[in-house]
Amino acid sequence: MEIIKKSEIKILSNPGVESFQLLNPENSKSERITITRVLVQPNNEQPRHKHDTSEQIWIAVNGKGILLLADNKEEVFENGDVVRFADGDIHGLKNNSQDVFEYISVTSPPINFGYAYKKMQY
């Protein structure tokens, strides 16, 4: 059993986006998943990107956003929705509302997302 204390959770951030690394290779022995809590501030976005060798599941917890998909496609994504991205799928999120958009991300196999963020804090 592992318990991950709040003090062990890194927060990665880019302008308008915070990613709480709830469970990852740095704070857990899990070899199967990374779990993150992501907050996208109003009128901000997580740009389109992909993970070549990991699938990702997003669970919308709060708010309403727009999924940014391949070929400039967009799809509404809101509280209670779940989306799965296969290895290599293009994905991102735009929050054009006045409320914080929150989702939980489950990634398998695990990824250390530090490479994608400019700032890190505990």
Side-chain angles (χ1 to χ4, degrees), residues 81-97:
D81 290 347
V82 177
V83 63
R84 176 189 168 270
F85 304 106
D87 298 17
D89 280 354
I90 303 291
H91 60 284
L93 187 112
K94 176 172 49 175
N95 181 1
N96 56 2
S97 77

Side-chain angles (χ1 to χ4, degrees), residues 42-94:
N43 300 307
N44 279 276
E45 72 177 55
Q46 220 175 14
R48 286 177 172 87
H49 62 282
K50 65 180 179 166
H51 310 289
D52 290 329
T53 58
S54 290
E55 72 175 291
Q56 205 166 55
I57 298 163
W58 288 1
I59 304 155
V61 176
N62 188 53
K64 183 176 179 179
I66 305 292
L67 292 171
L68 305 174
L69 307 170
D71 302 321
N72 289 318
K73 292 182 182 172
E74 296 183 349
E75 182 77 34
V76 173
F77 187 53
E78 59 188 334
N79 184 21
D81 290 347
V82 177
V83 63
R84 176 189 168 270
F85 304 106
D87 298 17
D89 280 354
I90 303 291
H91 60 284
L93 187 112
K94 176 172 49 175

Side-chain angles (χ1 to χ4, degrees), residues 5 11-12 21-22 28 57 63-64 85 118-119 121:
K5 298 291 188 179
I11 304 169
L12 305 175
Q21 304 300 290
L22 303 179
S28 170
I57 298 163
K64 183 176 179 179
F85 304 106
K118 295 177 181 172
K119 185 176 167 189
Q121 65 186 33

Side-chain angles (χ1 to χ4, degrees), residues 6 11 27 29-31 33 43 51-53 55 60 65 96 105-106 108 111-112 120 122:
K6 184 177 181 179
I11 304 169
N27 68 4
K29 293 179 184 173
S30 176
E31 297 177 356
I33 61 174
N43 300 307
H51 310 289
D52 290 329
T53 58
E55 72 175 291
N96 56 2
S105 173
V106 179
S108 180
I111 294 177
N112 182 331
M120 178 177 49
Y122 280 96

